[in-house]
């Protein structure tokens, strides 16, 4: 079976962008592929954070994975920091990562500009190396993510190729010319719709956990009336009818895409269904679709959270399975890089 890995940071609340760009797609992949889904708590400390909240947010995120349909009889779910190999491989990879590659990362530039010098730790710069290690440790074939992670995936691929080039041969020689490269070179899986969900209050900026206004996003755990209120107050325009891909109507296109993915319909079908609607009618349609889709997830979330022992067990089992795979890769890398065996 080909392997898939992906993860979400336990910062803030999980929103519709995280769901449509990533988590929703994990669900359809878990039957065909060998899947590992982690909660990237080590990534969550790259910007100032609240130590009182981290462990709670980590459990919440795990519960949301399960509530969204991640099936632990098929997929492994675990916490990144519970598998020590992630940080260890990161150090080894760091030595093969040119600083220039990291300086070029759009997310680093954006986040460091927003955070201000005092708050920019070295880890914000080296963040993509940790992400590469999350992926390469498992010899992953595919990584389902939203559009904003594309550049990090590209760096992961380049880094895998570089390490294979720099250290791969030494290992092959030792094995008498047999054996393959150290890392598999993974590919991103970016969905055709929902890969870049935009803010409800500005169709030109991405829906994000860190945006100051909660009105800008739909959180997966928002109650019905909050969802209805957010859609009611979201930004609109004064055109008539609803249409996709009009550059003058980013909000319209964004909300239609959300409706498309949530309803499971084809783009053409949605375009036809909504072309003659006014904003009021469309908003009512979208609100109902969102509430219908999210309600069962919320019920399952409450159910999972009511049994902490179950969640602990899932995470412990996930970490054990992941550690086996990760340690094998890590040992290979140590060997290929010439370390003394212990
Ligand atoms: P994070 O936590 O910012 O986001 C988690 C996932 O949600 C996607 N996403 C979006 N998709 C569509 N529209 C949006 N507005 C939107 N906002 C976020 C992201 O693309 C992502 O797929 N570095 C990663 C986490 C990570 C990871 C990994 C992912 C760490 N190691 C290894 C895959 C494999 C991050 O910060 O995602």
């Amino acid at each position: 079976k080909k392997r898939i890995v992906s993860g979400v940071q336990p910062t803030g609340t999980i929103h519709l962008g995280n769901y449509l760009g990533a988590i929703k797609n994990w669900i359809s992949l878990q039957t065909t592929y060998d899947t590992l889904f982690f909660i990237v708590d080590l990534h969550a400390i790259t910007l100032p954070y609240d130590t009182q909240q981290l462990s709670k947010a980590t459990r919440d995120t795990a519960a949301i994975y399960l509530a969204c349909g991640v099936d632990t009889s098929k997929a492994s779910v675990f916490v990144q920091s519970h598998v020590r190999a992630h940080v260890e491989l990161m150090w080894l990879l760091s030595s093969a990562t040119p600083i220039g590659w990291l300086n070029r990362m759009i997310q680093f530039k954006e986040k460091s500009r927003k955070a201000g010098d005092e708050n920019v730790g070295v880890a914000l710069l080296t963040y993509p190396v940790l992400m590469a290690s999350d992926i390469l440790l498992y010899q992953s074939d595919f990584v389902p993510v939203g559009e904003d992670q594309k550049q990090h995936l590209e760096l992961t691929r380049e880094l895998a190729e570089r390490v294979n080039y720099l250290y791969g041969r030494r290992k092959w020689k030792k094995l008498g010319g047999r054996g393959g490269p150290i890392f598999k070179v993974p590919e991103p899986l970016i969905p055709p719709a929902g890969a870049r969900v935009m803010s409800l209050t500005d169709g030109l900026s991405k829906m994000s956990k860190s945006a100051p206004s909660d009105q800008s996003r739909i959180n997966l755990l928002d109650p019905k009336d909050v969802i209805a209120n957010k859609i009611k107050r979201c930004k609109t325009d004064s055109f008539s009818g609803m249409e996709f891909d009009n550059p003058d109507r980013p909000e319209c296109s964004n909300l239609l895409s959300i409706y498309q993915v949530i309803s499971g319909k084809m783009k053409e079908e949605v375009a036809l269904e909504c072309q003659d609607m006014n904003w009021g009618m469309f908003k009512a349609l979208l609100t109902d679709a969102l509430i219908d889709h999210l309600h069962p997830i919320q019920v399952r979330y409450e159910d999972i959270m009511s049994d902490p022992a179950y969640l602990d067990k899932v995470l412990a089992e996930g970490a054990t399975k992941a550690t086996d795979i990760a340690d094998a890769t890590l040992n290979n890398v140590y060997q290929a890089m010439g370390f003394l065996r212990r």
Side-chain angles (χ1 to χ4, degrees):
K1 264 191 181 178
K2 300 237 177 202
R3 183 169 291 144
I4 284 192
V5 301
S6 196
V8 175
Q9 288 192 58
T11 37
T13 51
I14 308 286
H15 55 68
L16 205 57
N18 303 131
Y19 179 64
L20 300 182
I23 304 174
K24 187 169 181 290
N25 304 307
W26 303 353
I27 313 306
S28 47
L29 296 164
Q30 62 187 350
T31 22
T32 325
Y33 297 93
D34 178 19
T35 46
L36 296 119
F37 301 120
F38 32 70
I39 299 98
V40 292
D41 53 349
L42 293 164
H43 276 105
I45 66 167
T46 52
L47 283 172
Y49 72 102
D50 183 352
T51 54
Q52 307 278 325
Q53 291 297 319
L54 183 61
S55 68
K56 183 183 177 297
T58 301
R59 297 183 113 262
D60 281 357
T61 307
I64 286 183
Y65 287 5
L66 303 188
C68 289
V70 170
D71 176 352
T72 55
S73 71
K74 302 191 181 100
S76 301
V77 176
F78 67 95
V79 177
Q80 183 190 34
S81 66
H82 293 180
V83 180
R84 299 282 160 102
H86 289 241
V87 175
E88 230 173 301
L89 179 63
M90 184 205 174
W91 179 254
L92 301 179
L93 292 180
S94 301
S95 72
T97 314
I99 291 193
W101 290 11
L102 298 176
N103 279 328
R104 277 209 311 265
M105 292 295 110
I106 296 164
Q107 284 215 342
F108 171 68
K109 288 191 211 169
E110 281 175 3
K111 287 183 181 175
S112 54
R113 182 165 34 80
K114 272 191 212 148
D117 283 352
E118 292 288 294
N119 291 326
V120 179
V122 173
L124 192 64
L125 180 67
T126 55
Y127 173 122
V129 186
L130 180 60
M131 179 160 165
S133 116
D134 299 339
I135 296 166
L136 300 180
L137 267 180
Y138 301 96
Q139 306 292 348
S140 315
D141 296 280
F142 301 108
V143 185
V145 284
E147 175 84 35
D148 62 350
Q149 296 301 318
K150 206 169 161 184
Q151 197 187 26
H152 290 158
L153 252 300
E154 199 44 53
L155 184 136
T156 302
R157 290 168 54 82
E158 282 170 12
L159 194 50
E161 274 162 3
R162 188 169 157 90
V163 171
N164 286 344
Y165 171 77
L166 289 174
Y167 303 111
R169 248 191 309 199
R170 183 185 163 106
K171 193 188 152 207
W172 292 348
K173 251 193 218 144
K174 272 191 109 164
L175 295 168
R178 282 179 292 115
I182 301 172
F183 294 126
K184 199 172 256 184
V185 181
E187 279 175 47
L189 277 186
I190 297 175
R196 192 173 171 81
V197 177
M198 308 309 277
S199 155
L200 298 181
T201 47
D202 169 14
L204 296 175
S205 56
K206 204 178 61 178
M207 184 177 286
S208 93
K209 295 183 199 129
S210 58
S213 167
D214 196 55
Q215 290 290 331
S216 69
R217 60 185 161 256
I218 304 275
N219 304 304
L220 287 202
L221 300 178
D222 277 345
K224 289 180 188 179
D225 55 324
V226 173
I227 295 177
N229 185 265
K230 284 178 177 175
I231 297 296
K232 201 166 166 191
R233 291 177 50 187
C234 74
K235 191 170 174 204
T236 59
D237 56 40
S238 47
F239 290 75
S240 61
M242 303 298 294
E243 59 184 331
F244 279 104
D245 303 324
N246 180 341
D248 295 329
R249 309 186 66 190
E251 288 79 18
C252 180
S253 202
N254 182 46
L255 295 179
L256 281 173
S257 299
I258 292 176
Y259 175 64
Q260 180 197 327
V261 188
I262 285 288
S263 66
K265 293 179 182 169
M266 304 290 289
K267 186 173 177 182
E268 298 71 30
E269 206 180 329
V270 169
L272 217 64
E273 180 186 359
C274 304
Q275 62 182 357
D276 298 324
M277 290 186 180
N278 60 31
W279 273 104
M281 285 161 76
F282 175 68
K283 280 183 171 188
L285 179 73
L286 176 63
T287 302
D288 286 347
L290 279 170
I291 290 174
D292 284 351
H293 193 93
L294 296 182
H295 183 68
I297 294 177
Q298 297 174 352
V299 171
R300 282 198 296 271
Y301 171 83
E302 291 305 332
D303 205 37
I304 293 157
M305 290 306 276
S306 70
D307 186 357
Y310 170 71
L311 196 57
D312 289 343
K313 186 170 150 267
V314 165
L315 294 177
E317 284 173 3
T320 305
K321 249 188 101 180
T323 300
D324 283 348
I325 308 171
D327 283 353
T329 302
L330 184 65
N331 287 334
N332 256 337
V333 180
Y334 272 124
Q335 222 188 311
M337 289 179 72
F339 284 81
L340 178 66
R341 264 184 128 162
R342 49 168 180 186

